[in-house]
Amino acid sequence: MSGIRVVVIERELDIVTARQAGRELAAENGFSPTDQTLIATAISEVARNIVVYAQQGEIVVSRVDERGRIGIQVIARDRGPGIENLELALRDGYSTKQSLGLGLPGARRLMDDFGIESELGHGTVVTMKKWVR
Amino acid sequence: MSGIRVVVIERELDIVTARQAGRELAAENGFSPTDQTLIATAISEVARNIVVYAQQGEIVVSRVDERGRIGIQVIARDRGPGIENLELALRDGYSTKQSLGLGLPGARRLMDDFGIESELGHGTVVTMKKWVR
Amino acid sequence: MPVPILKQGDTLIATIVAALTDRELVEFRDQLAERIGAVRARGVVIDVTALDVLDSFATRTLRTIAQIAKLRGASAVIVGIQPTIALAMVQLGLTLDDVHTALDLETGLELLRRPR
Amino acid sequence: MPVPILKQGDTLIATIVAALTDRELVEFRDQLAERIGAVRARGVVIDVTALDVLDSFATRTLRTIAQIAKLRGASAVIVGIQPTIALAMVQLGLTLDDVHTALDLETGLELLRRPR
Ligand SMILES: Nc1ncnc2c1ncn2[C@@H]1O[C@H](COP(=O)(O)OP(=O)(O)O)[C@@H](O)[C@H]1O
Ligand SMILES: Nc1ncnc2c1ncn2[C@@H]1O[C@H](COP(=O)(O)OP(=O)(O)O)[C@@H](O)[C@H]1O
């Protein structure tokens, strides 16, 4: 029951690896099958964004324990181009690649906590958590 | 026909208790079944906000008599994180949890009077009234 | 209180018998998604006649249930929204535009029997 | 891993047997479009039972496949979306409104046999 997994993201296959790592850690920490799928789906979205927009980066999934509350934390981190307008990027349907634009706002809905930091030219960090119910 | 009820809000079940207390008081004070439902729905929204955003707080429903006008007053009070931008929070569709964002603006439409005070780090108080027709 | 889900032919009938907490509603959502598969249901009727309030959370969950049913190959119909509750929903700003609705169980079942 | 596409009468049955990368999904899309012509298919069933996740990219690709099939004269049905995956899709904001869905292979084939 190790508490942390790091998946380097640089190819499409790594998206699958990352979401499977997240699902396994969630299963080990008592998340329901439903929540395992929600977490895996959120990871898939942010991992794909790394491949598409930043080419490479990493996903770190870890167990968290905040004042007795058990959960899982997902950090998606890259040194890509960054996001110019975070408010826009979090809006349903907004996409600079004419894709669905549901990745970031959707991941936010799938998880309990969601935060994003980005600096143009320096990269993006998405931090998400979900708590065991 | 007591004129005041206090419901402590700290679990989801308390949302149901609070809206039922509001409905009963409204019924006792001559509100139509339609208005009873509108009041109960508004209470449900502000009570859920306490559970979701502040974890705990209370709902106070009371009979009011302002210069012969009979009504019901609902106060929803918590010591949660407060609301940063009240104007935004009252806008249809605005939500920091990616939910529908209709709770506050909807409750305002359901009631006759609606006021909200909030201080960051200190909590939120919503005060609403509806008059017997 | 769990929501009873009955099977009638290839249709599931779920009758919400009392005010539900958010958690109970979410559990009902997940059970229904499972049951559709277990009984190979082609239609689902959700009777909300007994609900005291349909607030934004409940309405969103009902819409989610209808969308999940569709992805599982079943049509969902919400029946029994009472007049005062319908008014409250409209004033809140909730419309269920994309969800099938019918007056009551009978008309809901009729709606499902039509060729889809 | 390529997606096997079988022919049964005038119907193609494609079974996704494991999590697919984006590229594999796109290759599957293009192969299916070809095969519809090669076997003169009137219907296509895509079985996604084994998929671990249906995220926004996969859902968009499935919708594209259904639309391509339509333009090539074949009806497409997506079958086997599991309950937890259906929930994740709805929460993401994905609904497949315009695409036929059925519980499993059997009901999917049934759906295609009905007069179109
Ligand atoms: N890691 C990232 N690096 C740079 N830009 C990003 C990243 N993730 C998201 N974005 C930007 O935010 C927009 C919205 O992202 P998202 O909601 O996932 O939708 P989509 O990927 O379908 O466009 C993207 O179109 C892109 O411009
Ligand atoms: N009691 C509260 N304490 C802190 N923030 C609140 C409270 N009530 C509402 N809010 C904030 O106001 C926003 C809008 O609330 P609301 O209109 O009820 O929509 P929703 O709850 O669907 O987000 C919420 O997303 C939240 O950020």
Side-chain angles (χ1 to χ4, degrees):
Chain A
M1 305 261 171
S2 94
I4 184 158
R5 292 185 205 184
V6 181
V7 181
V8 174
I9 306 290
E10 44 191 24
R11 303 174 302 148
E12 285 177 359
L13 191 58
D14 303 326
I15 300 170
V16 177
T17 309
R19 72 192 186 210
Q20 286 174 346
R23 183 190 290 274
E24 275 164 32
L25 193 72
E28 286 167 15
N29 283 288
F31 280 93
S32 67
T34 298
D35 281 344
Q36 292 167 33
T37 300
L38 302 187
I39 291 166
T41 307
I43 292 174
S44 198
E45 294 293 341
V46 295
R48 174 168 299 98
N49 282 351
I50 292 177
V51 174
V52 172
Y53 300 108
Q55 280 71 59
Q56 55 168 298
E58 61 179 20
I59 302 268
V60 183
V61 286
S62 58
R63 174 199 157 94
V64 285
D65 179 340
E66 270 180 24
R67 286 165 271 122
R69 231 165 139 214
I70 303 300
I72 195 165
Q73 174 174 268
V74 178
I75 298 177
R77 188 189 287 132
D78 66 65
R79 299 189 177 280
I83 299 177
E84 200 167 326
N85 187 330
L86 282 179
E87 210 189 304
L88 269 182
L90 287 171
R91 218 175 264 174
D92 276 335
Y94 176 83
S95 172
T96 56
K97 280 251 163 143
Q98 301 288 87
S99 66
L100 292 179
L102 291 174
L104 292 178
R108 184 174 179 177
R109 280 188 290 268
L110 291 169
M111 303 292 285
D112 291 327
D113 298 351
F114 182 98
I116 180 163
E117 278 175 67
S118 189
E119 203 182 325
L120 272 187
H122 286 83
T124 302
V125 183
V126 177
T127 307
M128 328 187 272
K129 285 183 202 146
K130 200 168 183 82
W131 304 105
V132 179
R133 252 165 281 267
Chain B
M1 306 268 164
S2 94
I4 183 158
R5 293 183 205 186
V6 181
V7 181
V8 173
I9 307 291
E10 45 190 23
R11 302 174 302 148
E12 285 178 358
L13 191 60
D14 303 326
I15 301 172
V16 177
T17 309
R19 73 191 186 211
Q20 286 175 345
R23 184 189 289 275
E24 275 165 34
L25 194 73
E28 286 167 15
N29 283 288
F31 279 93
S32 68
T34 298
D35 282 345
Q36 292 168 32
T37 300
L38 302 187
I39 291 166
T41 307
I43 292 174
S44 198
E45 293 293 341
V46 294
R48 174 168 300 96
N49 282 351
I50 292 177
V51 174
V52 171
Y53 300 107
Q55 278 72 60
Q56 56 168 296
E58 60 180 20
I59 302 268
V60 183
V61 286
S62 57
R63 174 199 157 95
V64 285
D65 179 340
E66 270 180 24
R67 286 163 274 122
R69 229 166 140 213
I70 303 301
I72 195 165
Q73 174 174 269
V74 178
I75 298 176
R77 189 188 287 132
D78 68 65
R79 300 190 176 281
I83 298 177
E84 199 167 328
N85 187 330
L86 282 179
E87 209 190 305
L88 269 183
L90 287 172
R91 218 176 266 174
D92 275 336
Y94 176 83
S95 172
T96 56
K97 279 256 160 141
Q98 299 287 91
S99 66
L100 293 179
L102 292 173
L104 292 178
R108 186 176 181 174
R109 281 188 290 268
L110 291 168
M111 303 293 283
D112 292 327
D113 298 352
F114 183 97
I116 181 164
E117 279 174 69
S118 188
E119 204 181 326
L120 272 187
H122 286 85
T124 302
V125 183
V126 177
T127 308
M128 326 185 274
K129 285 181 200 148
K130 200 167 183 81
W131 304 105
V132 179
R133 249 166 285 266
Chain C
M1 188 180 321
V3 177
I5 305 176
L6 303 176
K7 180 178 182 297
Q8 181 181 306
D10 63 357
T11 301
L12 289 177
I13 301 173
T15 308
I16 298 180
V17 289
L20 292 183
T21 65
D22 297 0
R23 188 175 313 260
E24 287 167 337
L25 201 54
V26 163
E27 277 165 11
F28 166 55
R29 176 195 75 196
D30 295 343
Q31 268 155 27
L32 195 63
E34 291 290 344
R35 279 297 291 284
I36 288 171
V39 310
R40 311 176 69 79
R42 295 297 314 279
V44 177
V45 180
I46 300 165
D47 188 345
V48 299
T49 306
L51 268 188
D52 64 328
V53 154
L54 263 166
D55 60 12
S56 61
F57 180 83
T59 304
R60 186 164 66 124
T61 308
L62 287 178
R63 180 183 291 140
T64 300
I65 290 172
Q67 289 168 338
I68 290 175
K70 198 268 162 184
L71 291 172
R72 304 271 291 145
S75 304
V77 186
I78 314 283
V79 307
I81 298 178
Q82 297 305 300
T84 66
I85 292 186
L87 173 65
M89 288 172 70
V90 173
Q91 293 202 353
L92 266 178
L94 302 164
T95 49
L96 286 179
D97 278 333
D98 39 358
V99 177
H100 296 290
T101 46
L103 185 68
D104 54 19
L105 189 55
E106 197 186 321
T107 47
L109 288 169
E110 219 169 83
L111 197 76
L112 287 177
R113 272 195 297 270
R114 285 198 217 145
R116 276 163 266 169
Chain D
M1 189 178 323
V3 178
I5 305 176
L6 304 177
K7 179 177 180 299
Q8 181 181 306
D10 62 358
T11 301
L12 289 178
I13 301 173
T15 308
I16 299 180
V17 288
L20 292 183
T21 66
D22 298 0
R23 188 175 317 259
E24 288 166 337
L25 201 54
V26 164
E27 277 164 14
F28 164 56
R29 178 195 71 197
D30 298 344
Q31 267 154 28
L32 195 63
E34 290 294 340
R35 281 295 293 283
I36 288 170
V39 310
R40 314 181 70 78
R42 296 296 314 282
V44 177
V45 179
I46 301 164
D47 188 346
V48 299
T49 306
L51 271 187
D52 64 327
V53 154
L54 264 164
D55 60 11
S56 62
F57 180 83
T59 304
R60 186 165 65 125
T61 309
L62 287 178
R63 180 184 290 141
T64 302
I65 290 172
Q67 289 166 342
I68 291 175
K70 201 262 161 194
L71 292 171
R72 305 271 290 147
S75 303
V77 186
I78 314 284
V79 307
I81 299 177
Q82 298 305 300
T84 66
I85 293 187
L87 174 65
M89 290 172 68
V90 173
Q91 294 202 350
L92 265 177
L94 303 164
T95 48
L96 287 178
D97 277 333
D98 40 358
V99 176
H100 296 290
T101 45
L103 184 69
D104 53 20
L105 189 56
E106 196 185 322
T107 46
L109 288 169
E110 216 171 85
L111 199 75
L112 286 176
R113 272 196 298 272
R114 287 204 213 140
R116 274 162 266 170

